[in-house]
Amino acid sequence: MLPALSCRLSNAKNEFVLTSLESWGRTIRSRCHLRRLRWVDEEWHTESSSCLAVGERRSYGDVCLPREKGTALDCRSLDRILHFDPEAMVLTCEAGLRFSALLDFLVPRGFFPPVVPGTKGITVGGAVANDIHGKNHHKDGSFGNHVLSLTLRHHGRTIETSPQTNPHLFRATIGGLGLTGLIQDVTFRLRRIPSSWLLQEHIPFSSLETFLDLDRSSSEEWPYTVSWIDWASRSPKLFGRGVFIRGRETADIPSTRARFERAPTNVGTIPFRPPLRCLSEIGLSLYNSLTLHTRLSSKENGLVHFDPFFFPLDHIENWNLLYGPKGFFQYQAVFPEAKASSALEKLEKVLFDAPIRSFLTVLKRFGSKNPTGYLSFPRAGITVALDFPNIPPHTLDLMERIDQIVLESGGALYPAKDARMSPSLFRHSFPNHSLFREHIDPLFASRFSDRIGLTSP
Ligand SMILES: Cc1cc2nc3c(=O)[nH]c(=O)nc-3n(C[C@H](O)[C@H](O)[C@H](O)COP(=O)(O)OP(=O)(O)OC[C@H]3O[C@@H](n4cnc5c(N)ncnc54)[C@H](O)[C@@H]3O)c2cc1C
């Protein structure tokens, strides 16, 4: 859970506090009211003229921050599982349910969420509102592709939405950044799993070209793929090498292992807020060399529990604090299929010449399944996620240069990770923004929606 920076209790039940909220990247804060919703049909009134439903605030930028003096409707107590049908492989839950709790419920029963992101610390409402993607996007699409229906508080009324009932509102709410209202509950399809184990392979690559070859040859046979690339080294020999990671579920497990073993608990936590940035470029190149070495050692190939496979970053709970008080930016873009190769080459060159380095860079293919949401981010092509420490003015300058590559390729930026894209880049990224606008509930707004012009303060 992200801590509130300061708070003044304004009622005895601790249901409404004035506070300063931040998100995962810690570059933006909003001073606002925080109302913890206790039950789904609670007659909440807002303490201000604008509000925003929020989950775990694992978004990196400002999609999960209400306006200054607005109200954050904290949905995390709305976390009941309402219906589970193992035959139909369908589950209905309230939107504040955390993925970690969902996994605790599903895995021992032989089921899994249809899509999981790189952390299990998010809520189902957050998964819908950002239409999240995972390592299986090339096969299964994004979370919204598996949602069957939603109950939404919209314009003060409770409304059912699905592809059949209020279909436009349904499409606006999936990937809708919380702007169509408060999602109360979500019904979605599950996948069956033979065990809590996967078979994984780590394959080294030395260049973008070899990454693309590996990706093409793996997409059909391997349901889960992702790559880590070293775009941090200053040495031309090391820059651009990486590891292609692929995995598939397996029932073939040794008798010493339980079929549905529980996930290991977190190994560490940063016990305080470091006053300085703890990650340096030297530390980073050591880390990357070590990671490459470890990932290529034989013990990384073979059987792996789903938890370290899908959620490697969760093993240090609040690693975002290592970037220090100025925080960090994640820049996640997608380059469409036809332009992906040339865009990645341009990006590689810009990054090699840049004064600062991306501390963690991930590449992943998106498949061609049509997303459900008007503002869904995934589309066929290659997505890249870069983590930059916030070093003014270099970080913002560098990201502006990368914006040009995204624009030229007809690509898009991911709002869940964004803290600075311009209104025009948003409009280029999401050509359906006008269709979406019609479904905004005017009571709801975020710092992001004001910044990119979907709403006005
Ligand atoms: C380490 C890490 C790895 C990640 N990996 C991935 C990844 O692989 N793929 C990916 O797609 N994303 C990834 N993310 C991003 C994350 O999955 C999304 O930002 C997700 O939306 C966060 O969910 P949350 O519960 O924290 O929601 P918040 O961040 O609190 O909110 C996100 C949005 O959802 C809206 N919202 C939340 N609850 C409701 C509700 N009940 N009703 C209406 N709107 C609501 C908010 O208004 C906001 O617009 C990662 C994040 C981290 C920190």
Side-chain angles (χ1 to χ4, degrees):
M1 186 170 104
L2 288 173
L5 292 179
S6 62
C7 56
R8 171 173 65 76
L9 295 188
S10 69
N11 77 11
K13 289 185 197 150
N14 193 9
E15 283 168 349
F16 163 51
V17 292
L18 186 60
T19 186
S20 178
L21 294 183
E22 61 186 19
S23 59
W24 193 249
R26 304 180 67 227
T27 53
I28 307 178
R29 295 195 174 117
S30 232
R31 191 149 178 82
C32 59
H33 306 280
L34 179 65
R35 172 170 282 276
R36 186 154 204 146
L37 298 184
R38 303 275 163 185
W39 57 92
V40 78
D41 49 0
E42 182 176 333
E43 277 308 317
W44 43 267
H45 66 281
T46 59
E47 288 71 25
S48 49
S49 58
S50 138
C51 63
L52 184 72
V54 299
E56 289 285 349
R57 279 178 286 123
R58 293 287 161 133
S59 301
Y60 282 64
D62 47 3
V63 291
C64 60
L65 296 179
R67 270 181 197 154
E68 285 283 310
K69 302 195 181 127
T71 301
L73 301 169
D74 181 345
C75 298
R76 288 173 300 173
S77 297
L78 310 179
D79 61 353
R80 289 176 305 161
I81 291 175
L82 303 174
H83 185 68
F84 170 57
D85 183 340
E87 295 300 313
M89 296 170 49
V90 167
L91 182 133
T92 304
C93 66
E94 289 178 340
L97 184 70
R98 233 175 168 246
F99 268 54
S100 50
L102 181 63
L103 287 162
D104 284 348
F105 176 83
L106 289 177
V107 171
R109 293 169 171 82
F111 290 93
F112 211 71
V115 170
V116 293
T119 172
K120 56 185 183 298
I122 72 159
T123 63
V124 171
V128 172
N130 272 322
D131 193 8
I132 58 144
H133 56 270
K135 292 183 171 68
N136 57 342
H137 188 278
H138 61 287
K139 286 269 191 206
D140 300 321
S142 50
F143 195 81
N145 288 117
H146 306 271
V147 174
L148 300 174
S149 62
L150 300 163
T151 310
L152 186 70
R153 187 78 78 91
H154 176 72
H155 286 282
R157 291 185 300 135
T158 301
I159 297 184
E160 296 301 322
T161 71
S162 72
Q164 297 77 35
T165 312
N166 298 309
H168 298 292
L169 185 56
F170 182 73
R171 291 191 65 188
T173 302
I174 289 180
L177 311 174
L179 301 175
T180 61
L182 185 137
I183 302 166
Q184 294 185 347
D185 60 61
V186 185
T187 300
F188 54 97
R189 265 188 244 110
L190 303 170
R191 57 190 292 129
R192 248 184 229 287
I193 47 167
S195 75
S196 53
W197 301 90
L198 292 106
L199 200 61
Q200 74 168 357
E201 285 184 5
H202 284 192
I203 306 167
F205 60 83
S206 54
S207 66
L208 272 177
E209 210 184 326
T210 44
F211 155 73
L212 289 167
D213 287 346
L214 266 169
D215 183 65
R216 271 188 285 270
S217 61
S218 303
S219 287
E220 203 44 52
E221 300 277 307
W222 295 85
Y224 302 107
T225 62
V226 71
S227 290
W228 166 83
I229 186 165
D230 182 355
W231 272 343
S233 176
R234 298 244 168 228
S235 147
K237 236 174 70 191
L238 304 178
F239 189 87
R241 72 208 165 134
V243 183
F244 189 90
I245 301 161
R246 56 194 192 186
R248 63 165 75 102
E249 285 122 356
T250 181
D252 191 10
I253 48 173
S255 54
T256 48
R257 294 294 195 184
R259 192 163 156 222
F260 293 110
E261 206 160 289
R262 281 185 76 84
T265 47
N266 281 340
V267 292
T269 177
I270 311 294
F272 62 97
R273 287 169 173 259
L276 295 170
R277 188 155 55 86
C278 302
L279 298 170
S280 69
E281 229 181 84
I282 300 170
L284 171 67
S285 41
L286 279 174
Y287 171 81
N288 279 335
S289 299
L290 196 70
T291 308
L292 187 65
H293 179 75
T294 316
R295 296 213 155 156
L296 297 183
S297 68
S298 56
K299 76 179 166 65
E300 290 290 320
N301 285 330
L303 206 62
V304 61
H305 191 270
F306 77 81
D307 195 273
F309 181 82
F310 288 114
F311 315 117
L313 292 173
D314 283 354
H315 289 251
I316 299 180
E317 205 185 349
N318 42 2
W319 56 263
N320 60 333
L321 297 182
L322 292 173
Y323 283 91
K326 288 201 185 117
F328 71 111
F329 292 93
Q330 185 169 104
Y331 188 101
Q332 184 169 358
V334 56
F335 301 115
E337 193 64 53
K339 303 272 179 71
S341 172
S342 61
L344 285 169
E345 274 168 30
K346 283 185 204 156
L347 175 63
E348 184 167 55
K349 184 159 173 14
V350 166
L351 291 174
F352 187 71
D353 295 336
I356 54 165
R357 288 306 194 225
S358 162
F359 279 36
L360 179 70
T361 306
V362 172
L363 296 171
K364 158 87 199 132
R365 168 170 298 282
F366 281 159
S368 54
K369 202 164 215 158
N370 278 336
T372 308
Y374 289 134
L375 296 187
S376 289
F377 163 70
R379 58 208 74 182
I382 303 283
T383 184
V384 56
L386 303 145
D387 281 4
F388 294 119
N390 181 14
I391 306 178
H394 302 300
T395 316
L396 289 174
D397 290 350
L398 175 60
M399 290 191 288
E400 269 178 34
R401 291 191 64 195
I402 306 175
D403 287 348
Q404 289 313 311
I405 304 176
V406 175
L407 280 170
E408 282 162 25
S409 73
L413 285 197
Y414 189 13
K417 308 290 180 74
D418 180 69
R420 37 67 62 193
M421 83 167 93
S422 66
S424 73
L425 184 49
F426 174 79
R427 289 192 298 272
H428 276 97
S429 296
F430 299 98
N432 284 331
H433 62 89
S434 320
L435 287 172
F436 171 77
R437 255 171 224 276
E438 295 169 22
H439 302 282
I440 295 176
D441 180 333
L443 188 58
F444 290 79
S446 64
R447 293 281 293 271
F448 176 88
S449 65
D450 286 346
R451 177 164 61 78
I452 50 90
L454 275 174
T455 52
S456 22

